Amino acid sequence: MSGGALGIEIVLVFFLPLFLLHRYGHFRKQHPLVLFGTLLSWYLCFLIVFILPLDVSTTIYNQCKIDNEKPRDPSSDLFNQTSNSSVFPTSTPKVCHKPWSYIPDGILPVFWRVVYWTSQCLTWLLLPFMQSYARSGGFSILGKIKTALIENAIYYGTYLVIFCSLLIYVAVHPQWQLTWQGLQTISIAAANTWGLFLLVLLLGYGLVEIPCLYWNSSRHGYLLAKTYFKVAKLATEKSDAEENMDDAMEEVANVNESVGYSHPLRNNIDTILRKCPMEIQEKMVRLNTEDSEDESTQRTYPSKRSLVKLHKQVIYAGQRHSQTQVQWAILLEEAFHLEDVCKNETSASHQFVHSFPSSQPPGWLGKYLYTPTIEWYWECVLRQWCYRLLALLLSLLSVAVVWSECTFFSTHPVLSLFAIFIQLAERDYNYLYIEMACFVTILFLCVCVYSTVFRIRVFNYYYLVPHHQTDAYSLLFSGMLFCRLTPPLCLNFLGLIHMDSSISHQQRIETAYTTIMGSMRLLSFIADGFYIYYPMLIVLLCIATYCSLGTRCLNLLGFPQYISQSDDLTSELVEEGRELIRRERRNRQRSEDGESRKRVWRERYGEQRNVRRNRNGYSELKDNDSPSDSSDTAQLTWRESWDHTGLLQDVDTTSLDPSDSPTQRYAGGRYLSLASSRTHNDV
């Protein structure tokens, strides 16, 4: 299966970023270039994560062939038997079994070179420009490009200063030859140093937060209190978003009234109006049509710069308003569900009962497999124990990562747990175990780092919101973070398993990924200092995260964070959120009761009307929402009301319109009465 595993993974990995982009982005509303840039950056980063275990197994197989080809020295064999770093402890040559996922020579170096440099060009050049372009309020392509170039001038200038400083540092050392390969190494070292600095911060937070998250998810009381806290915070954000939306719409209305259809800036006004809600667009178009008849009105025309600013304000206000509305609906459903779980825990029937029926009909899974009884056992009994078990397993992995990060530089003896596991499997050439161990390790590291990227919030500028509510700026920013974090994360992983010779100092071939990264020997102060000792700070970050130091600091700075029920501010917000949920529950209950009463009345009196029609000899009408059918039904009902007196048996009622005024109906009824009386007199 030469290269088949590589091709299969390249195809299958594509669906993971596509699914995430569908969850967070909006394929119809957002610009295709924004979607393409985000998808490409996520895809390249996930490719590195999934293909790297194949690179490790292929490298181990190539190392086995080299070790069996070269002659062995008995003295070196005696030394290898006592060395923990030796992969082959005996002098007996072993048969090198080719791994099932073996990749031929020459493919991986080209693959890594394309993936790495494409991702670096995206994160340092294209994505920042696309961010400014997507966030610009310009009305033309040239205007947006000009704004993006101005905003990124300082950004690119900083990179140029840093790169020139590194060139000067290398030039003053004559033992270093400044070649093209050396420039590539300097660039890679600078990018990985910045990425490693950010990686340790996010990894230290994720290693503690991910196990705690699942452990707290097993505590229904804690989850419910935290949900109340979120409701109180989101209510404030929702109110602010509505106020900002109203202010923006008020400014748009003023500008819309001042600029007529014949003005040169009218096209820009129409562009702004298309970003407004549909009902506001129709209202403003109607008002502008009425005002256009009066040409004598004195008007103050806005400037082009003010319209650009207003356009940007409308885009931002619309996005925030839509995000808060969707989050509010989701958070209400979550709060109602948690309250139902707490109520059903004491249920003697062992059947889960929902407060409000689902708006969608249950599928075959809900009818036959996920029954109310199974739902009760899962929500009230099994779920909390499964989450606790998962939290314990993740805690063990976190402890192993922290220990290995502090000891991976030690090769005699080998202290890194992941290096020990890989070397034990390497002796038996168990390539499947090697790939699975590498994949689980690097996947756990990525979950800790990437989950922090998805959960972090920098005020309202960067915030990934699910259910298609993430704006273009946040999507592109997440792609930048992924491209900057993934290469140093993979290098750190290779150091943990002692597959990076610049850190482990072992005489063995390197992986194809490491050869693309370049030899860090060129910058010894980074390879021997920063890359080895800086990851040890992860211990302090884990302790700070466990003690909630960052949360407490944000709380002191005026950004409310959930700490515990004993905190005064937290308890106040929890009570406020509980009261908001009660109010929403009462509103929904009244709405449900009203709908049920309407449904009962419709069913009851609809049957009586059908019976009366059949008794009087009228054909049963089909329910239809068309205007003609509704008018026919109204005429028939009106005719039935007069038919009890027997006055309408021989009278043509087609000329009577049920939409007439009461006076006209009265006149028609009087005419019918007079006509009937004349008929009786004649008789």
Side-chain angles (χ1 to χ4, degrees), residues 124 190-200 484-485 488:
W124 298 106
N192 290 339
T193 302
W194 165 248
L196 184 63
F197 177 80
L198 187 61
L199 172 67
V200 172
R484 296 180 187 182
L485 290 171

Side-chain angles (χ1 to χ4, degrees), residues 289-316:
T289 304
E290 295 175 357
D291 294 340
S292 62
E293 298 177 358
D294 187 8
E295 298 294 340
S296 61
T297 304
Q298 186 68 25
R299 298 180 178 182
T300 303
Y301 298 107
S303 62
K304 183 69 174 294
R305 180 174 297 180
S306 62
L307 289 181
V308 171
K309 184 179 179 180
L310 179 60
H311 187 202
K312 187 175 181 179
Q313 180 183 356
V314 169
I315 293 174
Y316 174 76

Side-chain angles (χ1 to χ4, degrees), residues 8-25 27 35 38-51 439 442-444 446-447 450-451 454 475 478 482 486:
I8 293 174
E9 289 201 3
I10 289 176
V11 175
L12 294 181
V13 171
F14 176 76
F15 294 98
L16 178 58
L18 186 64
F19 168 76
L20 292 176
L21 185 60
H22 172 71
R23 175 177 172 79
Y24 288 91
F27 288 160
L35 298 175
T38 306
L39 180 63
L40 182 59
S41 59
W42 288 2
Y43 177 55
L44 294 177
C45 295
F46 291 148
L47 272 180
I48 297 176
V49 172
F50 281 84
I51 303 299
F439 177 73
I442 195 172
L443 180 63
F444 178 69
C446 291
V447 167
Y450 292 166
S451 63
F454 278 97
L475 287 175
S478 66
F482 277 20
T486 304

Side-chain angles (χ1 to χ4, degrees), residues 16-210:
L16 178 58
L18 186 64
F19 168 76
L20 292 176
L21 185 60
H22 172 71
R23 175 177 172 79
Y24 288 91
H26 200 292
F27 288 160
R28 295 182 180 179
K29 293 184 179 180
Q30 288 170 340
H31 198 278
L33 290 179
V34 173
L35 298 175
F36 177 75
T38 306
L39 180 63
L40 182 59
S41 59
W42 288 2
Y43 177 55
L44 294 177
C45 295
F46 291 148
L47 272 180
I48 297 176
V49 172
F50 281 84
I51 303 299
L52 191 59
L54 305 184
D55 192 1
V56 172
S57 62
T58 302
T59 303
I60 292 176
Y61 172 72
N62 294 332
Q63 181 68 41
C64 175
K65 293 193 299 182
I66 293 176
D67 291 339
N68 286 337
E69 289 176 358
K70 63 182 181 181
R72 293 180 175 269
D73 188 7
S75 60
S76 64
D77 293 338
L78 182 61
F79 174 75
N80 289 334
Q81 292 178 2
T82 60
S83 175
N84 291 327
S85 63
S86 175
V87 177
F88 304 99
T90 60
S91 59
T92 303
K94 293 184 178 181
V95 178
C96 299
H97 301 282
K98 181 181 292 187
W100 69 278
S101 58
Y102 177 75
I103 301 175
D105 297 338
I107 296 180
L108 278 179
V110 176
F111 175 80
W112 289 131
R113 189 173 287 109
V114 172
V115 170
Y116 177 77
W117 287 110
T118 304
S119 63
Q120 294 305 300
C121 290
L122 283 173
T123 185
W124 298 106
L125 297 177
L126 297 180
L127 292 183
F129 180 82
M130 294 174 65
Q131 267 187 307
S132 301
Y133 182 90
R135 198 176 179 183
S136 173
F139 299 99
S140 62
I141 297 178
L142 293 178
K144 292 184 177 182
I145 292 176
K146 181 180 177 181
T147 304
L149 290 176
I150 294 175
E151 291 183 357
N152 287 273
I154 301 176
Y155 183 78
Y156 294 134
T158 305
Y159 294 156
L160 184 61
V161 170
I162 295 175
F163 185 74
C164 292
S165 301
L166 290 174
L167 290 180
I168 295 174
Y169 181 82
V170 173
V172 297
H173 293 78
Q175 68 273 16
W176 292 347
Q177 296 181 358
L178 194 60
T179 60
W180 174 248
Q181 185 177 2
L183 290 176
Q184 290 183 351
T185 303
I186 293 174
S187 302
I188 293 173
N192 290 339
T193 302
W194 165 248
L196 184 63
F197 177 80
L198 187 61
L199 172 67
V200 172
L201 296 178
L202 299 180
L203 185 60
Y205 176 82
L207 288 174
V208 177
E209 187 64 21
I210 296 299

Side-chain angles (χ1 to χ4, degrees), residues 501-519:
S501 60
S502 63
I503 297 176
S504 61
H505 304 286
Q506 294 181 354
Q507 297 297 326
R508 58 179 304 159
I509 62 174
E510 296 180 336
T511 60
Y513 184 81
T514 310
T515 57
I516 300 303
M517 292 293 102
S519 177

